[in-house]
Amino acid sequence: MAGSRTFTLLCGLLAATLVRATLSPPAALSLSSEVIKERLTQELKNHDAVNILQQLPLLSAMREEPAGGIPILGSLVNSVLNVIIWLKVTSASILQLQVQPSADGQELVVKVPLDMVAGFNTPLVKTIVEMHMETEAQAIIRVDTSKRGDTRLVLDKCSNSHGSLHISLLHKLSFMVNSLANKVMNLLVPALPKLVKSQLCPVIEAAFEDMYADLLRLVRVPVSLSSDHLEFDLLSSDIKGNGIQLNLRAKLLDSQGHVTNWFNKSAVSLTTPSLGSAPFSLTVRQDVMNAAIAALLPPEELMVLLDYVLPELARRLKSSVKVINEQAANQLGRTQIAKILTQERPELLLDKGSAKVAQLIVVEIFATNEAHRPLFTLGVEASLDAQFHTEGDGLMLNLNDISTNRIHLMNSGIGLFNPELLKDSVTEILMSVLLPNENGKLRSGIMMSMVNALGFEEASWSLTKDALVVTPASS
């Protein structure tokens, strides 16, 4: 009975631990407020927002309920409007947008400053009476969660910023015209904010929707990995600091378009560094990077005639074998062959900003090219120093050195021996044959088209304990 209670308690503790565990996405794209501001500004241009401002129906808006339903005031307002021949915005511009965190840090506040000049014509004066109008549209970017639990970013609560409206007469004229202009400006005070909300806010909302859709499109562009490719897609959206974070799922596909590996939320850790001054960062979890490198370095078999290609190395190998078995060394002829098999995919290991690639390698030595059985077969646990660098928007990987961590005798036709005696020769074979071959396959790199799509020419990289982080190169 006590054992049963203990088992139940342990199960409960395990379940509670799993509930509390933070599941990490395979990748995360973090975008600063600067990127949001620039892309939203461009979308407002694409939606011709300035033209919308220039077409604001100021006169119509002033005529709608101009006096709050009070007849006497209504007649006074009409008397003002009756001497206005036309009233319209003559020039408009959208000033620099502002994107900043809300007070609670759960949303982003978007401010769109507007600068306009409006003019009206009246029989009282031959010139156009011009007014300078400054105001600001404000909205929030928040996370919207559907009934299914899916999240997306939306722009909401768009309206005219309270207290942002300022209207002034550009040029003073006669007392009568100035008095009329003051009355017109007083009527614009309640009318203009309503126009901003009804005419401009839908355009700002549509611009944000297109911006968000465009971000998702660039996220989904396949990343080529030789004949395979990696694809990202939206998992969830979040507000982080003064920017947004798109948490991404990933999948690896072969040349036929078949999915060979899925990556979703898991207990595998992902450290997403703070953006700092970087406009954006793409953080890719270690297991995803591992799959990408494995796709570039599939299992293969290499054979080399040592005496013809690496004669000095062939001589040293023969000397090492002679220490083990002189008769076996004499069997090594001019056509001796070293066969290298990488039967398992490599594994990327990250540690304090450095990277290594671990591989399990099989090395077989044949006495001649006519031999059907190897003299011996060795299993090698090797690690290769991995150096990342960038070329434009491409992420390149170069393997610089091989360390033979462990070496095992798997099969022997010359009797049992300590494989450590051949460690130096085997390491040289791997350095001379395997390393150049794998670097050749890695030469194509991983093209990060996302960098160019976000408006940057070159990428930079860094490593955390569990991820690779791509950012724009500093200018």
Side-chain angles (χ1 to χ4, degrees):
M1 180 67 79
S4 175
R5 285 197 299 269
T6 302
F7 177 75
T8 302
L9 177 61
L10 289 174
C11 287
L13 291 172
L14 177 60
T17 301
L18 291 174
V19 169
R20 289 193 302 269
T22 301
L23 300 181
S24 301
L29 175 63
S30 301
L31 300 169
S32 71
S33 57
E34 285 298 310
V35 171
I36 301 168
K37 181 175 67 178
E38 289 172 8
R39 297 185 76 84
L40 186 55
T41 298
Q42 184 57 52
E43 285 297 338
L44 287 172
K45 291 179 181 177
N46 295 344
H47 284 73
D48 209 4
V50 169
N51 185 57
I52 297 297
L53 292 175
Q54 291 173 337
Q55 300 299 321
L56 289 179
L58 299 178
L59 200 56
S60 299
M62 289 164 59
R63 285 197 175 106
E64 291 176 2
E65 300 182 15
I70 302 173
I72 297 176
L73 292 179
S75 62
L76 291 174
V77 169
N78 288 331
S79 67
V80 173
L81 298 179
N82 286 338
V83 295
I84 303 296
I85 298 174
W86 58 259
L87 169 62
K88 63 181 180 180
V89 175
T90 56
S91 68
S93 61
I94 295 176
L95 305 182
Q96 190 173 47
L97 273 63
Q98 297 176 39
V99 179
Q100 55 196 32
S102 61
D104 61 4
Q106 301 299 308
E107 301 166 338
L108 293 177
V109 179
V110 179
K111 296 181 178 180
V112 184
L114 310 173
D115 188 273
M116 294 173 280
V117 173
F120 68 87
N121 196 0
T122 174
L124 300 177
V125 66
K126 292 181 180 180
T127 59
I128 297 173
V129 182
E130 290 185 311
M131 299 165 291
H132 185 213
M133 303 188 300
E134 296 175 289
T135 190
E136 184 179 79
Q138 180 174 298
I140 62 165
I141 299 173
R142 64 176 180 83
V143 178
D144 182 61
T145 305
S146 70
K147 292 180 180 178
R148 294 174 52 189
D150 298 327
T151 61
R152 66 187 308 273
L153 297 175
V154 296
L155 187 134
D156 201 6
K157 298 181 181 178
C158 181
S159 64
N160 194 82
S161 296
H162 180 70
S164 66
L165 179 59
H166 301 283
I167 305 176
S168 59
L169 194 60
L170 274 181
H171 307 289
K172 292 188 180 295
L173 300 169
S174 66
F175 174 79
M176 183 179 295
V177 175
N178 289 345
S179 177
L180 175 62
N182 287 332
K183 292 173 183 176
V184 171
M185 289 188 290
N186 288 337
L187 292 175
L188 281 173
V189 169
L192 190 57
K194 291 180 181 178
L195 285 176
V196 169
K197 184 174 179 64
S198 64
Q199 303 291 316
L200 185 63
C201 277
V203 177
I204 297 174
E205 290 164 0
F208 179 82
E209 283 295 321
D210 286 354
M211 182 200 79
Y212 187 60
D214 188 53
L215 288 174
L216 296 185
R217 276 193 295 271
L218 70 87
V219 157
R220 293 174 179 136
V221 174
V223 178
S224 177
L225 301 169
S226 185
S227 60
D228 296 358
H229 64 274
L230 188 66
E231 290 184 5
F232 294 102
D233 200 359
L234 183 67
L235 186 62
S236 62
S237 305
D238 205 356
I239 304 291
K240 285 291 183 72
N242 66 343
I244 63 175
Q245 180 171 303
L246 303 180
N247 298 315
L248 309 175
R249 61 170 64 91
K251 59 183 177 182
L252 185 66
L253 299 92
D254 62 18
S255 58
Q256 304 300 314
H258 300 135
V259 178
T260 58
N261 209 339
W262 287 95
F263 302 93
N264 215 316
K265 281 186 176 181
S266 77
V268 178
S269 64
L270 178 69
T271 304
T272 307
S274 171
L275 273 176
S277 60
F280 81 88
S281 70
L282 175 65
T283 307
V284 185
R285 206 169 62 192
Q286 180 174 342
D287 58 333
V288 180
M289 284 302 303
N290 187 43
I293 292 171
L296 292 170
L297 298 174
E300 64 176 336
E301 179 179 306
L302 302 172
M303 297 179 67
V304 60
L305 288 164
L306 288 177
D307 254 314
Y308 287 90
V309 180
L310 301 165
E312 184 60 29
L313 179 54
R315 186 189 64 77
R316 288 199 296 272
L317 175 63
K318 189 170 185 176
S319 297
S320 298
V321 173
K322 189 174 183 179
V323 174
I324 298 168
N325 187 314
E326 186 172 350
Q327 185 179 358
N330 292 333
Q331 294 179 40
L332 291 172
R334 295 277 298 171
T335 59
Q336 63 179 290
I337 290 176
K339 181 188 286 187
I340 301 171
L341 301 95
T342 55
Q343 295 180 326
E344 295 187 21
R345 293 182 180 271
E347 182 178 357
L348 178 68
L349 305 173
L350 302 179
D351 180 33
K352 296 180 181 178
S354 64
K356 289 184 178 293
V357 171
Q359 279 189 286
L360 297 177
I361 305 164
V362 174
V363 178
E364 295 181 328
I365 302 297
F366 292 82
T368 68
N369 62 344
E370 295 180 353
H372 297 291
R373 292 178 178 274
L375 282 180
F376 51 83
T377 302
L378 303 175
V380 181
E381 297 178 29
S383 62
L384 299 83
D385 288 336
Q387 295 292 326
F388 288 98
H389 67 280
T390 55
E391 294 180 7
D393 64 346
L395 178 66
M396 320 302 288
L397 175 62
N398 194 63
L399 303 177
N400 292 332
D401 196 8
I402 294 181
S403 298
T404 303
N405 301 327
R406 291 182 183 178
I407 186 167
H408 309 275
L409 182 63
M410 298 177 66
N411 187 29
S412 176
I414 60 174
L416 296 177
F417 63 89
N418 181 3
E420 290 290 326
L421 296 172
L422 298 177
K423 183 175 181 178
D424 290 345
S425 296
V426 168
T427 301
E428 283 193 64
I429 290 173
L430 296 179
M431 285 283 292
S432 303
V433 180
L434 180 64
L435 192 63
N437 178 73
E438 292 193 332
N439 278 331
K441 292 187 172 184
L442 293 170
R443 194 169 293 126
S444 60
I446 303 173
M447 292 298 104
M448 308 299 294
S449 61
M450 197 180 298
V451 176
N452 276 339
L454 286 168
F456 302 93
E457 294 183 359
E458 296 187 5
S460 181
W461 65 273
S462 60
L463 296 173
T464 68
K465 63 180 181 179
D466 51 28
L468 181 136
V469 183
V470 177
T471 56
S474 57
S475 57

